[in-house]
Amino acid sequence: MPAKRTAKRTATKKTTAKTTAKSTSEPSVAGYFAEQPADKRALLEKLRALVAKGVPDATPTIKWGVPVYQRNGRNLCALAAFKDHVAINFFVAPSVLADPGKKLEGGKTNRLLKVRSAGDIDAATITRWLKAAAAANS
């Protein structure tokens, strides 16, 4: 019996060590994209390309478990995958983003565009919103 207890404790220690190593490692933006299902990853990649083109000096980092793009130390936007959609979240007041089509959702400090298919990605409008958000956060 004592040998089994020791083996069990050793196995528990190894499992705990693996879990601790994973939780303390720094998550990466590339890792976030890589772990998404192919359909959502494709949409996120399109949005990421628009961010890179629209605000080339924005730097990505992981905050709140998702990629957040910052400029001059201020949050500009975030990209995230959800069960039924992906989203780009702009960290600006609603008044900053012209939205005559009422495609954006959100509150007083941010606006969110839900993307369910590639057809929901209007590159010109999203680029305009990115530039407006960058200007507002300068």
Side-chain angles (χ1 to χ4, degrees), residues 54-60 68-77 130-138:
V55 190
D57 61 338
T59 56
V68 173
Y69 290 81
Q70 296 179 318
R71 186 167 174 256
N72 301 324
R74 299 188 64 182
N75 294 337
L76 176 68
C77 68
L130 285 163
K131 290 182 181 202
N137 281 336
S138 294

Side-chain angles (χ1 to χ4, degrees), residues 4-21:
K4 286 184 180 180
R5 282 188 191 159
T6 304
K8 199 173 200 177
R9 280 189 207 143
T10 304
T12 302
K13 286 180 183 178
K14 286 180 183 177
T15 303
T16 304
K18 285 180 187 177
T19 305
T20 304

Side-chain angles (χ1 to χ4, degrees), residues 6 12 23 40 45-46 56 71 80 98-99 104 107 112-114:
T6 304
T12 302
S23 64
K40 289 191 174 60
E45 291 290 353
K46 288 177 190 269
R71 186 167 174 256
D99 183 24
L104 295 172
L112 175 89
L113 175 68
K114 290 182 179 178

